[in-house]
C-alpha cells in the first residue's frame, strides 16, 4: 500500500513529503480494491480479496483483519464511525460494528457485484450501486431495502451524496451523470460530456 505525496498532504498530522508503505499480504500478490478513512482519521480500512484490513492511520500499522466471503469492492464508515459497510463481489453488503469488527447486518437484494456503498449523513440509511444496474437504499436499523432506483440510469457505476444528504449524483458507464433529489429519488437532470465511464464522484 503506497500513499502518493498528494494524499499524504491531505492527511492530518502526517509529515508531508514522507511516504508510508505497508504490505497487504506477506506474499506480495494481494490487491487493494477499496479505501475508507474513519471520520476521525485514525483508522484506514482497505478492502482486499479476502476481507478488510484495518490500519492505524498514524503510523501506518496493521491493527485488525475482518474476513469477508470474497472481494470487498466498496467501503464506507458511518458518520459517527460506529459502523463500517462493505460492498462485496458476492452481491451482498455487510455492515460491521466498530471497533470490534462484529457483523451486524447482511443486506441481500443486488444481483450483481456491489461497486460502491455510502452511509447517509444522518447515519440512518445506506446507499449502494451494483453491476445489476440498480441503486438501492437500505434502512440501517433493520437492513430492509427502502428504495430502488432504475429511472435515469444507464449502467450506473459510481455515486455521491451531497454533504447535507439532499442530492444524489450517479455516474454511468456511458459517460453521463444523473442528478436526483435524494428524498424520493426524484430525477432532476442529466449531465453529459465525458466519453467513457464515470468511475468516481465527489
Amino acid at each position: 500500500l503506497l500513499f502518493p505525496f498528494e494524499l499524504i498532504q491531505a492527511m492530518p498530522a502526517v509529515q508531508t513529503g514522507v511516504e508510508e508503505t505497508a504490505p497487504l499480504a506477506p506474499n506480495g500478490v494481494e490487491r487493494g480494491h477499496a479505501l475508507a478513512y474513519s471520520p476521525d482519521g485514525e483508522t484506514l480500512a482497505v478492502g482486499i480479496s479476502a476481507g478488510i484490513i484495518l490500519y492505524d492511520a498514524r503510523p501506518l500499522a496493521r491493527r485488525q483483519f475482518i474476513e469477508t466471503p470474497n472481494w470487498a469492492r466498496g467501503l464506507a464508515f458511518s458518520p459517527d464511525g460506529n459502523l463500517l459497510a462493505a460492498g462485496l463481489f458476492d452481491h451482498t453488503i455487510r455492515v460491521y460494528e466498530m471497533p470490534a469488527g462484529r457483523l451486524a447486518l447482511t443486506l441481500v437484494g443486488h444481483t450483481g457485484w456491489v461497486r460502491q456503498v455510502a452511509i447517509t449523513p444522518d447515519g440512518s440509511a445506506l446507499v449502494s450501486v451494483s453491476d445489476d444496474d440498480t441503486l438501492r437504499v437500505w434502512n440501517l436499523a433493520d437492513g430492509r431495502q427502502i428504495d430502488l432506483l432504475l429511472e435515469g440510469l444507464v449502467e450506473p457505476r459510481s455515486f455521491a451524496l451531497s454533504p447535507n444528504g439532499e442530492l444524489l449524483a450517479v455516474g454511468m458507464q456511458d459517460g453521463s451523470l444523473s442528478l436526483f433529489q435524494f428524498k424520493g429519488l426524484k430525477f432532476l437532470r442529466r449531465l453529459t460530456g465525458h466519453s467513457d465511464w464515470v468511475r468516481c464522484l465527489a
Side-chain angles (χ1 to χ4, degrees):
L1 179 63
L2 177 66
F3 291 97
F5 177 73
E6 292 80 6
L7 181 56
I8 292 295
Q9 282 187 312
M11 292 167 58
V14 174
Q15 186 179 6
T16 58
V18 176
E19 291 182 343
E20 293 187 46
T21 60
L24 293 176
N27 59 12
V29 298
E30 183 60 80
R31 293 181 179 180
H33 299 287
L35 294 171
Y37 273 100
S38 61
D40 63 8
E42 296 296 321
T43 302
L44 173 65
V46 180
I48 62 172
S49 62
I52 304 162
I53 305 173
L54 299 176
Y55 292 93
D56 289 323
R58 300 184 301 267
L60 190 60
R62 184 169 172 151
R63 179 200 313 156
Q64 186 179 356
F65 179 72
I66 301 172
E67 186 176 357
T68 59
N70 50 40
W71 293 358
R73 302 293 302 194
L75 295 172
F77 281 94
S78 60
D80 61 9
N82 291 333
L83 297 175
L84 174 62
L88 302 182
F89 192 71
D90 69 358
H91 312 168
T92 67
I93 300 154
R94 306 225 169 186
V95 182
Y96 300 90
E97 291 179 354
M98 302 302 292
R102 186 182 71 82
L103 181 64
L105 289 170
T106 300
L107 310 179
V108 178
H110 281 298
T111 59
W113 113 40
V114 182
R115 286 187 176 265
Q116 187 180 347
V117 292
I119 295 176
T120 56
D122 65 5
S124 68
L126 181 143
V127 184
S128 59
V129 71
S130 163
D131 272 17
D132 64 7
D133 297 336
T134 67
L135 182 139
R136 297 170 192 249
V137 182
W138 313 80
N139 186 331
L140 276 177
D142 59 11
R144 181 175 48 90
Q145 181 181 301
I146 54 178
D147 224 332
L148 170 65
L149 179 60
L150 296 169
E151 178 196 3
L153 300 184
V154 181
E155 297 178 304
R157 295 296 180 260
S158 61
F159 71 89
L161 284 167
S162 62
N164 63 8
E166 293 181 2
L167 291 177
L168 171 71
V170 183
M172 258 73 76
Q173 191 168 342
D174 71 353
S176 67
L177 293 89
S178 289
L179 296 180
F180 300 85
Q181 177 182 296
F182 183 63
K183 186 177 181 180
L185 298 180
K186 179 185 176 184
F187 178 77
L188 299 175
R189 62 185 178 274
R190 191 177 184 91
L191 305 176
T192 60
H194 286 296
S195 59
D196 208 337
W197 287 24
V198 180
R199 296 176 185 265
C200 187
L201 292 169

